[in-house]
Amino acid sequence: MAERRPDRALLRRDVLPLLLLFAVLIAAAVLLDALLHALGLRWVGRWLGIPGVLLILLSMLYSLRKRKQIGFSTPAQWLAFHKIVAWAGSVLVLVHGGIHFNAILPWLAIAAMLTNVISGLTGTLLLSRARAHFDAHRLHLLDEGLSADAVEQALHADSVTLQFLKGWRAVHIPIALAFASLGLIHIGSILWFWNWR
């Protein structure tokens, strides 16, 4: 029986679930937006940016826990909190943005947010699962009696994929800062041009 190619196994087990989670995020935003339109509550979408941004800011408490600024609960619980709250906030911000092309700045902020979501999913989900899969596959090949060189050759595609994924923080943090900057400029411009009278 022919052995499965490791790169396909990694793709099917780890990359496709990541893409599915991202698709669910987009689908949730589209469905919520459609529901608001169907109920005649389209105006609510304009205001969902505020709770969305607040949820995203709340999710940043995870960074404080990681840096030991918050002492209660476990890092794993804070990571779960971060993922859920940031995901919900992202859905609300997407509904707020809608499909209306009013200005370029909000769309740049949404593009940065979506890129940040993708990089966050990559880091938390894909990297940990890919590392576990790689280690298990390596042990399996060693248990079968393959030489170190044969194991290295068999795992080459997975090794390259894993090395690529390890660099996710180099994307996640700068994109988070870009999203924050664009979001603040967007909020500032709304406040600047608001009719205060």
Side-chain angles (χ1 to χ4, degrees), residues 16-137:
L16 291 180
L18 170 74
L19 295 176
L20 181 62
L21 277 174
F22 187 72
V24 168
L25 173 82
I26 302 298
V30 169
L31 289 173
L32 181 56
D33 190 51
L35 179 65
L36 290 174
H37 280 72
L39 295 173
L41 299 172
R42 194 170 111 181
W43 60 272
V44 172
R46 283 186 76 163
W47 297 99
L48 288 181
I50 296 168
V53 167
L54 291 175
L55 285 173
I56 290 170
L57 289 173
L58 188 63
S59 78
M60 298 309 296
L61 289 174
Y62 167 68
S63 295
L64 295 176
R65 177 59 176 102
K66 242 173 72 170
R67 287 162 183 76
K68 299 183 181 177
Q69 302 295 317
I70 296 175
F72 61 93
S73 198
T74 66
Q77 290 170 325
W78 277 104
L79 179 60
F81 172 81
H82 173 74
K83 289 189 278 188
I84 292 166
V85 173
W87 189 89
S90 297
V91 169
L92 296 180
V93 169
L94 283 173
V95 173
H96 167 72
I99 56 169
H100 315 289
F101 292 95
N102 297 331
I104 189 80
L105 180 61
W107 278 95
L108 289 174
I110 284 183
M113 182 192 71
L114 290 175
T115 304
N116 199 45
V117 167
I118 290 169
S119 70
L121 287 173
T122 299
T124 59
L125 231 155
L126 198 53
L127 181 59
S128 61
R129 291 179 68 185
R131 186 178 288 134
H133 170 74
F134 180 84
D135 292 342
H137 196 191

